[in-house]
Amino acid sequence: MVDWFVAADDRWHRPEHESSTRQTRLDGTPVVETRVRIPGGDAVQRVYSVAVGGGLTIMEVTNDSSLPIAVAFTGGGLVSRRARTAVPAHGIDLPADAVVHPIGHRSTVTVARAHSAAADSTLPDVPSSDQVARGWLAQTQKASRLGLPDASMVEAVTAARCELLLCGPEPDGDSSAFLLGVAEVVRMGERPAIWVPDVAVHLERLARSGAQIAAGVVDAVARVLHSAGEDRAVADLRRMKLVESTDGDRADGLPVDPALVPTWVERHLVASDEHAARLMPRGFPTGWMGVDFEAHGLAIGLASTLSFAIRWHGDRPAVLWEVGGQPMPLTYGSWSTGQLSGEALWP
């Protein structure tokens, strides 16, 4: 295990034990940012992994304060392009494997631990944490790109999709979660045909159980089967008449299972079947009233996508929309349209 310590103007800080330490995922991606308060600002650590050099776990520490600091890493086996300081650490007892690096105002030091014993002894060129986060976002946004008033919902979707990209859908867990997970990885670029046998197994489990399934499963699976060229299976799926639960649609909190999160969030924006797509089917959440937002690439019907934006004119929402793929009628309350694109002022 690698630990880190910060020598600031006042004392040594061990982030693990500091009450000021805050930790987040950068925009929901697998880039973990830890901030610890020091005189004049923060010491900021970002940890992420890359495939460079057989695999590396990267640790960036940025001095986001007005004074110079030093950072010590313990745990051994670290590589860097910067030479460690020859000055011994004072005011703290560190293990013999500790390495100390000075960091100037607004500067960054980067170290890494290799995933294989055959890795280079010096740190190769690696992407920065911002570049890695942008790469993850680009991959997850192949499914859809959301700009919502509730940023936590967007980050939860990104985090759930990143988890699916890293680990894949869980075949031994809940079948609804597995099927929605498959639909998400297919939207992010996985070949749908390789998932068809597993989809059939989990659909059979759901049909035999007779229990209610998570909302959105039927349409998500239908899109996977259709994109795999299995239109007969789509027809069979429609005849199965699986019963979807509406409890998740009414719940205020995010689902516990990450695989359910993207569908749960997107169903705030649009719900569709093979006939039409209903925009804002649950209405506008209170915190969204009067706030502009947009969503791009939402899956509707068997082979269509919807992008739309809401712009407010006083207390009335104006919608701008574009349907891609097969034409799909859109509705909102008493409003409806069959046009592929346009704009309208809603009640």
Side-chain angles (χ1 to χ4, degrees):
M1 183 185 74
V2 176
D3 204 353
W4 65 301
F5 306 79
V6 179
D9 191 52
D10 56 344
R11 60 182 174 86
W12 279 93
H13 298 254
R14 186 173 186 178
E16 182 183 3
H17 297 156
E18 298 289 335
S19 60
S20 67
T21 298
R22 297 93 70 200
Q23 191 169 77
T24 60
R25 292 174 63 160
L26 199 61
D27 296 325
T29 67
V31 178
V32 179
E33 179 180 275
T34 303
R35 288 181 171 267
V36 58
R37 179 66 62 187
I38 57 176
D42 286 334
V44 184
Q45 181 204 59
R46 288 181 175 178
V47 178
Y48 56 100
S49 290
V50 297
V52 176
L56 297 168
T57 294
I58 309 294
M59 287 152 279
E60 289 179 352
V61 177
T62 299
N63 178 7
D64 194 13
S65 77
S66 57
L67 299 169
I69 65 172
V71 61
F73 299 97
T74 66
L78 299 176
V79 294
S80 175
R81 285 193 296 273
R82 289 177 53 175
R84 57 185 290 182
T85 180
V87 179
H90 296 286
I92 188 173
D93 291 327
L94 295 174
D97 61 10
V99 293
V100 181
H101 293 276
I103 310 178
H105 167 63
R106 303 291 189 238
S107 297
T108 299
V109 65
T110 302
V111 301
R113 173 172 281 181
H115 297 176
S116 66
D120 293 337
S121 58
T122 58
L123 181 63
D125 289 334
V126 295
S128 69
S129 57
D130 286 329
Q131 291 172 319
V132 169
R134 287 196 298 270
W136 280 105
L137 288 174
Q139 187 66 30
T140 61
Q141 289 172 357
K142 288 182 178 180
S144 67
R145 178 165 58 88
L146 308 177
L148 307 181
D150 188 344
S152 65
M153 293 176 70
V154 180
E155 290 190 5
V157 170
T158 300
R161 287 174 175 164
C162 288
E163 188 70 18
L164 286 167
L165 289 171
L166 285 167
C167 303
E170 175 50 61
D172 298 324
D174 175 69
S175 288
S176 290
F178 174 81
L179 293 170
L180 289 177
V182 168
E184 285 301 302
V185 297
V186 168
R187 292 175 70 192
M188 290 186 285
E190 282 267 12
R191 290 182 295 132
I194 64 175
W195 292 101
V196 170
D198 293 317
V199 166
V201 168
H202 283 270
L203 282 175
E204 183 179 6
R205 286 184 190 174
L206 292 174
R208 289 182 182 278
S209 71
Q212 289 186 330
I213 63 178
V217 168
V218 172
D219 290 322
V221 171
R223 286 190 289 271
V224 172
L225 294 173
H226 176 76
S227 60
E230 299 285 349
D231 290 325
R232 179 178 175 181
V234 174
D236 292 341
L237 172 64
R238 299 297 187 193
R239 287 193 293 268
M240 289 173 71
K241 299 188 182 302
L242 295 168
V243 180
E244 293 187 350
S245 170
T246 59
D247 292 342
D249 280 351
R250 293 194 297 266
D252 294 328
L254 288 165
V256 175
D257 193 323
L260 303 178
V261 169
T263 298
W264 184 89
V265 170
E266 289 189 356
R267 283 178 68 85
H268 278 75
L269 305 171
V270 63
S272 70
D273 53 29
E274 65 266 40
H275 304 298
R278 293 178 291 119
L279 277 69
M280 304 305 297
R282 308 175 197 174
F284 289 88
T286 302
W288 296 25
M289 302 295 286
V291 182
D292 295 346
F293 63 91
E294 59 191 57
H296 303 268
L298 302 172
I300 56 174
L302 279 179
S304 303
T305 59
L306 169 67
S307 298
F308 77 98
I310 297 294
R311 303 290 184 258
W312 292 86
H313 293 258
D315 60 354
R316 295 185 64 181
V319 60
L320 301 86
W321 75 90
E322 182 175 8
V323 174
Q326 298 176 355
M328 172 70 68
L330 307 178
T331 67
Y332 170 76
S334 60
W335 174 86
S336 64
T337 182
Q339 296 181 359
L340 292 177
S341 61
E343 55 185 277
L345 193 61
W346 285 347

